[in-house]
Amino acid sequence: MSAPISDRSVPAGTSGSTLIPEAAARHVQDLGSFVTASPSSFHAVAEACRRLLAAGFEQLSERKEWASPAHHDGPLRRFVIRDGALIAWVSPAEVTAETGFAVFGAHTDSPGFKLKPKPTTGKHGWLQAGVEVYGGPLLNAWLDRELQLAGRLVLRDGSSVLTRTGPMLRFPQLAIHLDRSVNDGLSLDKQRHMQPVWGLGDPQQADLLAVLAEAAGVSAEEIGGYDIVLADCQEPQTFGAVGEFFASGRLDNLSSVHAGLTALLEHDPQPGGPIALLAAFDHEEVGSASSSGASGPFLADVLERISTGLGDNPEGFKRRLAGSLCLSADAGHAIHPNYPERHDPANHPQLNSGPLLKINSNQRYASDAVGAALVARISANLNIPYQEFVSNNDIPCGSTIGPLTATRLGIRTVDVGVPLLSMHSAREMCGVADPWYLAQLSGAFFAALSSDQAEA
């Protein structure tokens, strides 16, 4: 990464009169470290676990009983993982029947490519990797980049290990001399053109899984299954006239995971405050329909077990949910200067002008007036900016875990996120200040929720 931004005068927002706080510069440097450590959802969870354990959190197992007394000496700081998803929480020293959950939701996965079965392929003297498109990546953004393989190997004895290869693969683009019309419109076939090269030789004599096994310190014969993705190897970087921009892979949605994790690690629960909880799901980019996705039972299971440990009966659990609120954080769109017609005519989110309050009348986002008022109130109290985002009527927006969480649990939910350019590219960009603004908003959300604020 470049020189620390705190050494520079960096204009934020449209007026150019506000300097980005030094804390924002430190936050984005740490975000870069988090992204670098997290080439896959499994690595993101492992890095979050490392930070949580270092901060004194206790890791629980879903297979064992959770003791959670209503009165204990000091806050309870705990977390549990399920594959590529993680839920961590901080309970105040005293929890009453009126104590709700303040849930910060995000997702650990990013669009890209996953390794297929029988992955060692190739022809014409090239070794290639058989990959499958995951989610909705901008295919052209993955061309001519040094890529790594990363993820989880599950061994035949049932244990699992993480692996990452470092720079190894590339999708080489066809030279313009062989396609003179390429600048008139690039067309990429997902099967024929998006199979990366990783070496030279006969694929019958090579074994890509052996490379992954060696990187993990195991033998290829031990591998029983794998969840492996491709990830960009380029380091995160600040750039711009005065270093006001930040470029990195996987900002959608590790910028949100990192903001929520940072806020939870810094959270000091006060008497009467909520149970602050970070829920980082997997598989959002492909619909969340998995046991570790937001459409699965993971969050409901954890909330119910926490509630049961506090002595709640089913009625008490429902009351606790009714006094809860979810802040669903996922990256959104800043206005693109070269394509302004693709945005709503009146709402033009800018970089370094605060996180987005994401609104959609068709419930692709879950924000309503109550949630909007909460964001407005917290932002005013913190003296930080926020911006409203709504789509152009002719261009339907994507969705988030927000509507899924609201539907599954009945918890009032508001959608927010950091504004990006180049979303779903192999390398996205945001403003330096916005991830820190989101972390500040998240921390205040953990502290501010009370039962009356969660009611209509």
Side-chain angles (χ1 to χ4, degrees):
M1 296 181 67
S2 66
I5 299 166
S6 55
D7 294 342
R8 306 165 178 169
S9 294
V10 185
T14 55
S15 68
S17 61
T18 304
L19 296 182
I20 292 176
E22 291 187 9
R26 292 192 297 270
H27 180 90
V28 84
Q29 295 283 333
D30 190 60
L31 170 58
S33 298
F34 184 79
V35 172
T36 299
S38 306
S40 74
S41 60
F42 301 100
H43 284 84
V45 166
E47 175 62 12
C49 288
R50 184 189 70 79
R51 296 183 179 211
L52 290 164
L53 289 170
F57 279 67
E58 175 190 4
Q59 182 172 359
L60 301 178
S61 168
E62 289 194 88
R63 296 187 177 186
K64 295 182 179 179
E65 183 179 358
W66 300 355
S68 184
H71 301 281
H72 42 85
D73 294 330
L76 283 179
R77 304 179 187 274
R78 294 175 160 181
F79 71 95
V80 63
I81 65 174
R82 182 182 288 186
D83 297 326
L86 172 145
I87 296 178
W89 64 96
V90 177
S91 297
E94 291 193 11
V95 178
T96 71
E98 304 300 320
T99 302
F101 297 100
V103 179
F104 181 96
H107 65 88
T108 58
D109 63 320
S110 299
F113 300 84
K114 292 195 73 172
L115 206 61
K116 289 182 175 181
K118 298 183 178 64
T120 308
T121 66
K123 51 185 176 293
H124 305 297
W126 291 96
L127 296 178
Q128 294 176 274
V131 296
E132 184 176 14
V133 175
Y134 178 86
L138 281 172
L139 297 180
N140 64 294
W142 290 78
L143 301 176
D144 301 331
R145 290 182 173 275
E146 289 65 57
L147 305 171
Q148 61 181 311
L149 291 170
R152 167 178 76 169
L153 302 176
V154 180
L155 308 183
R156 294 185 184 276
D157 64 4
S159 64
S160 63
V161 293
L162 296 183
T163 187
R164 61 188 302 176
T165 63
M168 180 177 166
L169 308 95
R170 183 181 176 99
F171 293 107
Q173 189 169 190
L174 185 66
I176 192 171
H177 311 79
L178 304 178
D179 184 3
R180 296 290 184 177
S181 65
V182 65
N183 287 329
D184 297 327
L186 176 64
S187 178
L188 295 171
D189 184 282
K190 295 177 182 178
Q191 181 62 42
R192 292 188 298 123
H193 301 147
M194 305 308 293
Q195 303 300 317
V197 300
W198 62 276
L200 299 170
D202 181 356
Q204 299 299 319
Q205 305 299 319
D207 185 2
L208 186 56
L209 292 182
V211 178
L212 288 165
E214 182 179 4
V218 299
S219 67
E221 291 74 20
E222 294 180 80
I223 298 175
Y226 51 85
D227 294 298
I228 302 294
V229 299
L230 269 63
D232 183 27
C233 290
Q234 187 176 357
E235 290 289 323
Q237 181 75 45
T238 55
F239 70 105
V242 287
E244 66 267 49
F245 303 133
F246 179 69
S248 174
R250 304 179 295 286
L251 290 178
D252 178 12
N253 188 34
L254 293 185
S255 61
S256 297
V257 175
H258 178 260
L261 178 63
T262 299
L264 192 69
L265 290 171
E266 296 176 354
H267 180 55
D268 181 19
Q270 300 301 309
I275 299 171
L277 186 143
L278 167 66
F281 300 102
D282 203 351
H283 302 132
E284 190 276 342
E285 297 293 352
V286 291
S288 297
S290 70
S291 62
S292 54
S295 287
F298 190 26
L299 179 57
D301 288 348
V302 170
L303 295 181
E304 186 172 2
R305 291 185 71 168
I306 294 173
S307 177
T308 299
L310 294 171
D312 291 345
N313 57 23
E315 170 78 9
F317 179 48
K318 294 296 184 181
R319 288 178 58 198
R320 204 174 293 281
L321 289 184
S324 301
L325 195 143
C326 175
L327 194 69
S328 165
D330 203 346
H333 302 288
I335 187 167
H336 197 302
N338 298 335
Y339 304 90
E341 72 281 358
R342 301 299 182 99
H343 299 266
D344 179 73
N347 294 277
H348 294 165
Q350 304 281 338
L351 298 188
N352 287 324
S353 291
L356 304 177
L357 170 63
K358 302 165 73 173
I359 299 167
N360 181 261
S361 64
N362 294 303
Q363 291 298 296
R364 301 291 287 171
Y365 307 133
S367 304
D368 62 6
V370 176
L374 177 63
V375 170
R377 181 166 60 252
I378 291 175
S379 299
N381 290 340
L382 292 173
N383 195 28
I384 62 172
Y386 76 96
Q387 311 174 79
E388 290 156 328
F389 171 81
V390 65
S391 293
N392 185 306
N393 286 336
D394 291 328
I395 304 174
C397 67
S399 191
T400 70
I401 65 159
L404 302 176
T405 302
T407 301
R408 279 191 54 80
L409 296 174
I411 294 178
R412 188 180 302 282
T413 302
V414 56
D415 272 292
V416 298
V418 169
L420 302 181
L421 288 183
S422 307
M423 186 185 291
H424 285 203
S425 170
R427 193 167 177 84
E428 299 157 324
M429 69 173 282
C430 68
V432 165
D434 293 326
W436 180 74
Y437 286 141
L438 179 61
Q440 292 296 103
L441 179 68
S442 307
F445 164 74
F446 284 149
L449 178 67
S450 63
S451 58
D452 61 317
Q453 290 171 333
E455 293 176 359

